[in-house]
Amino acid sequence: MAINVMIVDDSAVVRQVISAVLNEAPDIDVCSVANDPIFAYSKMQKEWPDVIILDIEMPRMDGITFLKKIMAERPTPVIICSSLAQQGAELSVSALSAGAFDIISKPTLGVKSFLESAGKEIITVVRAASVAKVDKFTLSDPTSSFESNHTDDNVMDFVNGDTDKVDDLDLASLAQTTDKVIGIGSSTGGTIALEKILTKLPRTCPGLVIVQHMPEKFTAAFAERLNGLCEVEVREATSGDRVIPGRVLIAPGGRHLQVKRSGGQYITIVSEGPAVNRHCPSVDVLFKSLAKNVKQNATGIILTGMGNDGAKGLLAMKESGSKTVAQDEASCVVFGMPKEAIKLNAAQQVVDLKDITRFIN
């Protein structure tokens, strides 16, 4: 049975291009299009779609207001198709917190060619959305609140840390340290999962480093939002940041994040590099740096998301003496990344999302 998709966007070009892209897939049918939410809602009364692709800035009703109406009336997977501009990034992060499944980020210029080139990714996201657990999209507590196709083989030197743009550790770095580092990797559904976790952490918690698959600019808006909700400090990581208790550092979109020893301290390295598992930042890059440089002082946690990014890295952490955890299927929006890690026997424990904060503490 085909996945029925509705496209709601005030741009005729966007509606036409996405329709053409999706109709190429034999299991997807664009059942209707609309140029604003009011018109879309009237159509939905006759045929409710399985998945909705929704712009944010539109006439008569904005996308976030419409999204909230959908989630309140009949929760449905909604994919936000948003501009990469800073304002668009901030609104998109708000949309994710309101229950959006994922984001397709479109450039201000060259939208048609971009959407055509990203066709496979759009189809993949729609398919994942159609089978996702809609009840996991939104926050239970309202007060808490696409990419290159490089393969692992092409970038193994980078993943293994051999192309770090910093000098190798000197002998002073061999000094003993008891600092703990928590590494978290997440993708689709991860923004809600992370908000649920981080808003419950005290300032005394160990330092956290996080890779959440998001485009450039979106991570800064996401970190800023979390910082306003959490007791811990949350910000986008930069090279040289210390990983200390009560601080959460999120990998910037389009940059890889690693952790390295500097004397008795742990610091972050943020650098450009090829996509790993089709992602930049990549969870595998972060986890393999923790396995190499933090070892038994690290804990790796892999959360909800599509694909297999982070599975091999979590295994490397386990083999280096780190503690490793995967989110269980029941609490995941998409049981992709944790499932792959579990298949590799990389996770020492498989836990419900609600228990991860307690595990960290």
Side-chain angles (χ1 to χ4, degrees):
M1 187 172 179
I3 303 164
N4 288 326
V5 179
M6 168 178 271
I7 301 167
V8 188
D9 198 301
D10 61 342
S11 166
V13 171
V14 171
R15 296 195 304 270
Q16 291 167 2
V17 173
I18 295 181
S19 294
V21 165
L22 293 180
N23 284 328
E24 289 292 317
D27 56 336
I28 298 175
D29 177 43
V30 177
C31 61
S32 60
V33 298
N35 61 2
D36 70 47
I38 304 296
F39 189 36
Y41 188 71
S42 66
K43 287 189 169 188
M44 290 165 67
Q45 302 313 301
K46 300 174 183 176
E47 183 181 16
W48 200 278
D50 300 314
V51 177
I52 300 168
I53 296 179
L54 178 65
D55 190 14
I56 291 182
E57 298 180 73
M58 289 179 291
R60 299 208 286 174
M61 180 186 288
D62 66 272
I64 293 181
T65 301
F66 187 46
L67 168 65
K68 290 178 179 177
K69 179 177 177 64
I70 293 167
M71 299 309 288
E73 180 174 330
R74 185 172 168 178
T76 304
V78 176
I79 300 166
I80 296 296
C81 188
S82 174
S83 167
L84 278 169
Q86 185 61 44
Q87 183 181 6
E90 292 167 358
L91 290 171
S92 296
V93 169
S94 297
L96 288 169
S97 295
F101 175 77
D102 209 342
I103 299 170
I104 299 170
S105 56
K106 58 186 179 184
T108 305
L109 301 175
V111 175
K112 183 176 185 294
S113 60
F114 168 78
L115 291 173
E116 289 172 341
S117 65
K120 289 183 180 179
E121 297 296 339
I122 296 171
I123 289 170
T124 298
V125 173
V126 167
R127 285 173 175 157
S130 71
V131 296
K133 299 169 186 172
V134 182
D135 62 322
K136 308 299 180 187
F137 291 177
T138 53
L139 293 164
S140 56
D141 178 2
T143 61
S144 65
S145 61
F146 279 106
E147 307 131 337
S148 201
N149 289 319
H150 294 284
T151 64
D152 259 354
D153 292 336
N154 297 133
V155 292
M156 282 311 297
D157 286 344
F158 181 79
V159 178
N160 290 332
D162 296 332
T163 59
D164 284 352
K165 298 179 182 179
V166 294
D167 293 334
D168 287 337
L169 298 176
D170 55 31
L171 293 177
S173 69
L174 298 177
Q176 292 296 312
T177 176
T178 58
D179 287 353
K180 306 296 181 185
V181 180
I182 308 290
I184 300 180
S186 54
S187 187
T188 308
T191 54
I192 295 294
L194 288 170
E195 189 167 328
K196 288 181 177 180
I197 292 168
L198 300 182
T199 51
K200 293 179 174 62
L201 290 178
R203 290 185 183 179
T204 54
C205 74
L208 285 88
V209 283
I210 295 174
V211 166
Q212 163 67 40
H213 294 157
M214 294 182 89
E216 188 177 355
K217 296 184 181 178
F218 285 65
T219 45
F222 179 53
E224 184 177 354
R225 171 183 165 77
L226 288 175
N227 190 55
L229 296 172
C230 298
E231 184 177 338
V232 292
E233 175 195 11
V234 185
R235 58 184 169 87
E236 198 175 55
T238 59
S239 284
D241 287 337
R242 284 189 60 196
V243 183
I244 58 175
R247 176 178 289 172
V248 179
L249 300 170
I250 297 177
R255 301 286 187 276
H256 288 299
L257 174 64
Q258 298 178 83
V259 173
K260 203 170 181 76
R261 282 280 295 277
S262 178
Q265 302 172 348
Y266 295 112
I267 62 169
T268 56
I269 304 297
V270 175
S271 57
E272 295 182 354
V276 176
N277 302 319
R278 302 168 69 187
H279 291 285
C280 184
S282 162
V283 181
D284 265 338
V285 170
L286 172 62
F287 281 1
K288 289 187 178 183
S289 76
L290 294 172
K292 179 180 178 182
N293 301 318
V294 187
K295 298 181 173 62
Q296 70 274 10
N297 285 346
T299 297
I301 302 172
I302 193 160
L303 302 177
T304 174
M306 293 187 290
N308 63 355
D309 189 29
K312 292 180 180 178
L314 196 71
L315 179 60
M317 289 187 69
K318 177 186 174 184
E319 291 173 344
S320 74
S322 305
K323 297 181 180 67
T324 57
V325 179
Q327 184 179 352
D328 69 358
E329 182 175 8
S331 63
C332 280
V333 170
V334 179
F335 190 54
M337 287 161 50
K339 179 180 179 181
E340 293 303 315
I342 293 166
K343 282 168 61 177
L344 290 180
N345 198 29
Q348 295 167 327
Q349 297 187 51
V350 180
V351 302
D352 188 283
L353 176 63
K354 67 179 184 297
D355 296 322
I356 290 177
T357 301
R358 184 161 62 247
F359 180 88
I360 293 173
N361 289 331

